[in-house]
Amino acid sequence: MTRNEQLLFHLPMRLRRNRKSASIRRLVRETELLPSDLIAPLFVIEGRGRREAIPSMPGVERLSIDYALQEAAELHAQGIEAVALFPVVKRELRSPGAEEAWNEEGLLARAIRAFKERIPTLSVIADVALDPFTSHGHDGLTGEGGEILNDPTVECLVQMALMQARCGVDLVAPSDMMDGRVGAIRKALDEAGYADVSILAYSAKYASSLYGPFREAVETRLAFGDKKSYQMDPANVREACLEALLDQEEGADILMVKPATLYLDVIAALRARTDRPIAAYHVSGEYAMVMAAAERGWLDAAALFHETLLSIKRAGADMIFTYAAKEVVGRLLRR
Ligand code: PBG
């Protein structure tokens, strides 16, 4: 607006004054995205010097431990403080009982140890769930009718969390949605002398259609059924708060909502009910949709990822798991 523009009417408040320059826009900005808000998931495979493309997740690759370390070191140098490790387990090591999940010489165990040895200041998060290790692809042990058994699964998850703690993990992240697992894991960790290991609970994890590319990445396909008897109904928000507050009572240090963008109302509702930090998972399908449109030239991926992650933070999340960490951090540092 120019000074000599003729005013047609007097307005006591013209909100555009606070948008008139880049510097004023920065002064009044309510939410700022920082590299330290972002957690980079990494898919880890066996071998050395190996990288594999994941067709439904352009720009994301499965990496052998040595390459994953390189990638993580670059992200850490740009201000990323944590990675979440996901092992891609060989088919012959998967079984109905998921015993590989707590193998102390398995791929996940070796990856955690390598990360803590080579990049000690970078926090390592590991999923506690059986699905990469079960032959049927479910997150739990199955009963005779194919139902997912709660309490026997929790016993497996406890073994898995203890193994991760012995390898030096900083945060264990139960992503299975069994009842009572946070309390059981907290008790077992404390009794074994791992009171310092944190629990980041996937508290409100929905049975979403957005996990397809992730399942391609870790090569899990459900042999039967779906995950609706343990993951949440997308229709529910009060139940999400109940789940999260129960996890809080059981000793969770950080509460997660997943997926993120279709569930911003859930993040906001939980924000109003807890003082614990909230994590959100911007999942594989949310990443894939943007990349697919960007490949056709319909959307600007880097700009949209920035706007997306900002919206997740604005809704109330303190930290965000995202496959777009690299793109967004590059953009944040260039500004
Ligand atoms: C495993 C797990 C899943 C994701 C994270 N941990 C898949 C699932 O529950 O089926 C999905 C992450 C993503 O889609 O990016 N329990």
Side-chain angles (χ1 to χ4, degrees), residues 60-249:
V60 179
E61 293 171 312
R62 303 184 193 95
L63 301 171
S64 53
I65 294 175
D66 51 338
Y67 279 167
L69 283 165
Q70 270 178 27
E71 170 101 350
E74 280 165 31
L75 291 167
H76 194 32
Q78 294 181 306
I80 300 260
E81 300 293 350
V83 292
L85 300 180
F86 293 97
V88 184
V89 180
K90 288 193 174 140
R91 191 138 293 280
E92 59 269 25
L93 295 175
R94 303 183 193 200
S95 60
E99 289 83 1
E100 179 65 14
W102 51 94
N103 175 2
E104 221 150 318
E105 294 308 319
L107 176 59
L108 177 59
R110 282 178 277 124
I112 296 171
R113 285 195 295 263
F115 269 76
K116 290 317 298 179
E117 204 170 291
R118 294 278 300 281
I119 321 177
T121 55
L122 177 70
S123 285
V124 171
I125 303 171
D127 246 40
V128 178
L130 302 184
D131 55 315
F133 308 94
T134 52
S135 35
H136 45 67
H138 277 289
D139 293 40
L141 304 181
T142 54
E144 275 165 23
E147 73 276 24
I148 306 303
L149 304 172
N150 195 87
D151 299 15
T153 298
V154 171
E155 285 180 37
C156 295
L157 299 172
V158 165
Q159 295 307 313
M160 194 177 173
L162 285 171
M163 177 281 278
Q164 296 176 355
R166 286 193 290 271
C167 293
V169 81
D170 297 287
L171 302 97
V172 295
S175 70
D176 54 289
M177 292 300 282
M178 297 301 122
D179 287 326
R181 88 285 204 210
V182 170
I185 290 171
R186 184 69 274 157
K187 182 165 177 285
L189 287 172
D190 289 353
E191 285 173 2
Y194 297 109
D196 281 348
V197 172
S198 316
I199 300 179
L200 189 164
Y202 286 65
S203 299
K205 176 173 179 178
Y206 286 89
S208 172
S209 311
L210 289 165
Y211 306 148
F214 174 94
R215 292 184 195 164
E216 180 184 31
V218 297
E219 297 170 346
T220 59
R221 209 168 297 112
L222 285 180
F224 56 88
D226 54 41
K227 298 194 175 188
K228 291 180 185 167
S229 78
Y230 46 106
Q231 298 182 350
M232 280 189 51
D233 182 345
N236 296 353
V237 58
R238 294 193 303 267
E239 187 187 353
C241 293
L242 282 172
E243 279 283 6
L245 295 179
L246 255 181
D247 285 354
Q248 174 171 317
E249 266 171 45

Side-chain angles (χ1 to χ4, degrees), residues 12-77:
M13 189 59 215
R14 288 176 182 270
L15 289 174
R16 286 186 56 191
R17 278 196 286 267
N18 282 345
R19 296 177 209 137
K20 71 185 170 193
S21 67
S23 62
I24 290 181
R25 286 194 293 274
R26 232 168 264 142
L27 284 176
V28 302
R29 185 161 296 152
E30 299 173 35
T31 311
E32 192 100 49
L33 197 62
L34 305 170
S36 56
D37 297 328
L38 308 181
I39 294 164
L42 295 174
F43 297 110
V44 182
I45 53 176
E46 288 287 0
R48 283 188 65 81
R50 288 184 61 217
R51 53 173 81 245
E52 291 173 3
I54 303 161
S56 56
M57 300 180 76
V60 179
E61 293 171 312
R62 303 184 193 95
L63 301 171
S64 53
I65 294 175
D66 51 338
Y67 279 167
L69 283 165
Q70 270 178 27
E71 170 101 350
E74 280 165 31
L75 291 167
H76 194 32

